[in-house]
Amino acid sequence: MEECISVFDMLKIGVGPSSSHTLGPWRAAERFLSELRAQNLFEKVERVQVDLYGSLSLTGKGHATDLAVMLGLSGQDPEYIPVDQIDSIIANIRNHQVLQLGNELTVPFAPETDIRFNRNFLPFHSNGIRFTAYAGLATVEETYYSIGGGFVVKEERINAKKKSAIKCAFPYPIQTAAELLNYCHEQNRSISEIVYENEKSMRSEDEIHHELMRIWNTMLECMYIGCHTEGTLPGGLNVRRRAYDMHQNLIGELPYNSPQEWLEVIRKTEVKFRQILKWVSCFALAVNEVNAALGRVVTAPTNGSAGVIPAVLMYYMVIENHQATDKEIKQFLMVAGEIGSIFKKGSTISAAMGGCQAEIGVSSAMAAGALCELMGGTPAQVQMAAEIAMEHHLGLTCDPIGGLVQIPCIERNTMGAIKAINAAELALETDARNAKVPLDKVINTMWETAKDMNHKYKETSEGGLAITVGLSDC
């Protein structure tokens, strides 16, 4: 059996700013609590200590890793926690030096000493986190690795191709793009139809519909909030939000009172080429500004690249097809999720392992393929669109200034979205039989590039813009 990754594994609802540095450690903390309960030791815990390693340590403060760990140990759920309560929960822990473990048990906790930042790297992955609980005479220690996109494992092989995780039994198990294309040809079905059959082996049709629409509505609300919030982002870089000003210049004066009404109003605005570029950029900026402010976003496939897919899908909804319905939204998300899963299986979606090509590059490929299918592309053209998008992100480094998912991360989402649209159009105008680079080849090339990339450019903030532009410049 092959590794089966659901669309809902690739598109998760959570809190920013980073899927690997925020959502992953948060989920790891939840898993640690579950293991304590399974060992009947939870009620006996007297103290908890957390050690962050490698990239989680080097950029942990900027990515709110310490906050995520405290929230996870407190029993908060990143999918449902009211984001406006995060500051008060953290302040309470710091002011009183106690933690409500699992929202049940009060234990002493001093964030300054009980969360330790270790610069050294653990084996298997750059994002290591170790929890230690002291429960009477027992000491429980567990180590996890946050491998990108909110995925957490206890031990992850360096070579992704050697992974042997078995999660389910899809009717159409897919490990490579070639296998997916073969299923499409054999069954005479689109990529989204193949993905839908796999999803139905795990969930009811009603559940699939509800969850996909919940993902889209979260994306839409995130764009809406970002476009209607002005000010400066937290973290010390003094980055001014740009989506608000750009939106004000684009929207016009028609009234609206909800995200859906807002979408309808945008459909009535001017759609010259420059305006289209601005709208797509505005949508992407909006999402990642919300993400940078610890808002709720959808990992797609990561938080740092969360703006690409909603921006491209919104482009389709407000520019290309004003009659688009839930059907097209679900179709887009299923194709995007499947392409992302193939990248995860064959390479990585972790910037700590592969640089920004693993985040913006993968999200651009996901969006390009999904848009291509909605625009009438064949399965081969869909894969070609994904390949084109990734091909022009190969080698992209991850060098966040100050360890914050702000510069250059927010702007990169606009670039990834525009490239995705361009890649889809190129594929639609090409006979896929003439393609020279199969999608699997570019995925393999991305992985080889990731392994060759200097660690300074893998989300450590030790190279590139992160050191040439300092906090003093901002």
Side-chain angles (χ1 to χ4, degrees), residues 80-156:
Y80 295 102
I81 182 175
V83 293
D84 58 358
Q85 293 182 14
I86 289 176
D87 287 345
S88 62
I89 294 171
I90 297 300
N92 189 63
I93 295 170
R94 286 176 169 159
N95 293 337
H96 296 91
Q97 300 283 284
V98 295
L99 190 71
Q100 296 299 319
L101 197 68
N103 205 25
E104 297 176 27
L105 182 67
T106 302
V107 298
F109 190 84
E112 295 76 15
T113 55
D114 287 328
I115 301 177
R116 300 188 295 193
F117 293 79
N118 305 277
R119 294 179 66 87
N120 56 304
F121 288 71
L122 294 181
F124 307 113
H125 197 280
S126 301
N127 292 331
I129 181 168
R130 180 172 293 153
F131 294 91
T132 305
Y134 301 91
L137 298 177
T139 299
V140 182
E141 185 178 274
E142 297 290 352
T143 301
Y144 305 91
Y145 296 91
S146 178
I147 62 172
F151 289 88
V152 176
V153 297
K154 278 197 172 181
E155 182 174 307
E156 179 70 9

Side-chain angles (χ1 to χ4, degrees), residues 171-398:
Y172 302 109
I174 298 161
Q175 195 73 11
T176 66
E179 290 175 349
L180 173 59
L181 199 57
N182 285 339
Y183 287 133
C184 291
H185 289 159
E186 290 171 2
Q187 301 297 319
N188 192 29
R189 288 179 169 179
S190 66
I191 289 176
S192 60
E193 289 171 332
I194 293 293
V195 176
Y196 190 49
E197 291 303 312
N198 281 342
E199 292 296 331
K200 286 197 295 184
S201 71
M202 301 174 65
R203 298 172 176 84
S204 69
E205 293 187 17
D206 284 346
E207 186 179 0
I208 294 169
H209 169 81
H210 177 267
E211 289 303 306
L212 286 174
M213 294 311 299
R214 189 163 73 95
I215 286 170
W216 164 244
N217 286 327
T218 301
M219 290 178 170
L220 180 60
E221 182 179 41
C222 186
M223 287 184 280
Y224 185 84
I225 291 171
C227 284
H228 294 83
T229 306
E230 58 181 332
T232 302
L233 294 174
L237 293 182
N238 298 315
V239 175
R240 178 175 170 79
R241 291 175 179 260
R242 283 186 285 177
Y244 178 87
D245 293 333
M246 187 177 288
H247 176 261
Q248 288 293 101
N249 292 331
L250 288 167
I251 191 61
E253 298 182 357
L254 291 176
Y256 55 88
N257 295 296
S258 69
Q260 187 58 47
E261 289 181 10
W262 175 62
L263 186 154
E264 295 296 339
V265 167
I266 296 172
R267 285 174 167 169
K268 299 174 183 177
T269 61
E270 191 174 33
V271 289
K272 292 180 181 178
F273 182 68
R274 286 185 65 198
Q275 277 67 35
I276 293 171
L277 284 176
K278 290 176 184 178
W279 270 121
V280 174
S281 297
C282 183
F283 300 144
L285 288 173
V287 170
N288 286 85
E289 288 173 355
V290 170
N291 178 65
L294 276 75
R296 180 162 285 114
V297 299
V298 177
T299 64
T302 67
N303 282 32
S305 61
V308 176
I309 285 172
V312 175
L313 179 48
M314 189 69 160
Y315 157 80
Y316 178 79
M317 299 283 289
V318 300
I319 303 296
E320 290 295 337
N321 184 2
H322 289 191
Q323 281 70 51
T325 64
D326 294 357
K327 173 181 176 295
E328 285 79 15
I329 292 169
K330 294 186 291 184
Q331 186 179 353
F332 186 100
L333 295 176
M334 285 190 288
V335 175
E338 184 58 43
I339 291 171
S341 76
I342 294 172
F343 271 96
K344 183 181 183 298
K345 293 167 190 171
S347 185
T348 180
I349 57 170
S350 166
M353 287 294 289
C356 198
Q357 61 172 356
E359 296 202 21
I360 294 295
V362 173
S363 64
S364 186
M366 293 166 67
L371 179 63
C372 187
E373 178 168 307
L374 288 190
M375 301 285 281
T378 66
Q381 287 175 317
V382 168
Q383 291 197 5
M384 187 179 189
E387 180 278 319
I388 292 171
M390 172 51 72
E391 185 177 327
H392 300 289
H393 282 96
L394 287 173
L396 186 60
T397 59
C398 182

